[in-house]
Amino acid sequence: MLYFLSLLLTIPIVNPVVEQPRDPIAIHSYHEDVTGDGQSDTIDLKGELFAPDGQYYQHIWADITDANNHSWTIPYGGGYEPSLQFVDLNHDNQNDIFYQSATGGSGGLYTSKLHTIENNQLIEIPLPNNQPIKGKFIDNFKASITLLPGEDPIIVDLSDRKDEYIRLNIYDENGILLEPTSLMIDPVAMFEPVNLSERNGYGLKSYQQISGAYHADGIGVVESLWYYEKGKWKLLKTTWKSDNLTEETPEENKNNH
């Protein structure tokens, strides 16, 4: 027993390493009226870097202070190159707070959030949902893409990639599809506030990439224009932007709603 006690006394005590919180970094300070009182508010965008010599912020947030010292904080999570824009997207004659930062992934995705301050309450406005786009390979080295239910599909010629698709066993050498295969349809990669007109104000444009056999096999991008009205996002227009491929559509690849 004495032997074990003496052995325990000789074992060094190792204290667990506790990671010290990193000092917040002031990313940018803005002065805009986001409370609707006609006076400039201070919006400080801040973050904590994951590594001292890195570019990824593991925590990002905005501290907002108005002229009467009311304050709000918006947490945004992590990301690269965060930024804020101040536009009236819900059309109440008051600037909203639109945030965006890159996720850093290979898909070129961004994290986007929209907030407004109403009656001293911070409110998050959900962004538009992804469109119900459908896409698939079809015979003769082509792809069929339907932007909205009930519409005629866009037919895209992929014959310039036929050697790769034959190698991947998507088609045989005669262009016959070996088995049903869907295209890769990304979620919305990013949003962009756009001024629609002096009368209607701002809306959002979204970008969704469509790829073939793998993500780098880009076929084109779906650009959609959204308008916030009566508490909901309304889809105004959808435009197909191809990657210099031949399309067989009679309506110039545009669908107005």
Side-chain angles (χ1 to χ4, degrees), residues 36 46 57 66 69 77 99-100 165 183 187 217 228 233 247-248 256:
K46 301 178 181 179
Y57 292 94
D66 70 3
N69 286 324
Y99 164 85
Q100 200 150 247
Y165 292 158
L183 301 179
D217 182 29
Y228 195 79
W233 290 102
E247 299 166 5
E248 300 176 3
N256 296 307

Side-chain angles (χ1 to χ4, degrees), residues 35 42 62-74 117 120 122:
T35 56
T42 300
D63 287 332
I64 305 167
T65 306
D66 70 3
N68 297 313
N69 286 324
H70 295 129
S71 61
W72 303 264
T73 297
I74 308 175
I117 296 176
N120 288 331
L122 182 67

Side-chain angles (χ1 to χ4, degrees), residues 145 208-211 217-222 240-243 245:
I145 300 168
Q208 274 182 270
Q209 179 173 321
I210 298 181
S211 303
D217 182 29
I219 295 175
V221 175
V222 178
W240 168 249
K241 300 287 187 179
S242 69
D243 290 351
L245 299 172

Side-chain angles (χ1 to χ4, degrees), residues 90-148:
N90 66 348
H91 314 295
D92 62 352
N93 298 315
Q94 175 182 315
N95 280 336
D96 305 311
I97 306 162
F98 179 74
Y99 164 85
Q100 200 150 247
S101 66
T103 64
S106 60
L109 301 179
Y110 284 75
T111 298
S112 305
K113 290 188 178 294
L114 178 63
H115 289 82
T116 190
I117 296 176
E118 183 179 325
N119 297 324
N120 288 331
Q121 297 295 316
L122 182 67
I123 300 171
E124 181 172 0
I125 300 175
L127 292 171
N129 294 323
N130 295 324
Q131 286 185 227
I133 302 167
K134 293 184 178 181
K136 61 183 179 180
F137 290 102
I138 59 175
D139 287 340
N140 299 317
F141 303 109
K142 294 179 180 180
S144 172
I145 300 168
T146 304
L147 300 183
L148 291 172

Side-chain angles (χ1 to χ4, degrees), residues 147-148 151 154 236-239 251 253-257:
L147 300 183
L148 291 172
E151 292 189 342
I154 298 168
L236 299 181
K237 183 172 71 172
T238 300
T239 306
E251 300 181 3
N253 311 319
K254 291 188 177 181
N255 303 277
N256 296 307
H257 308 284

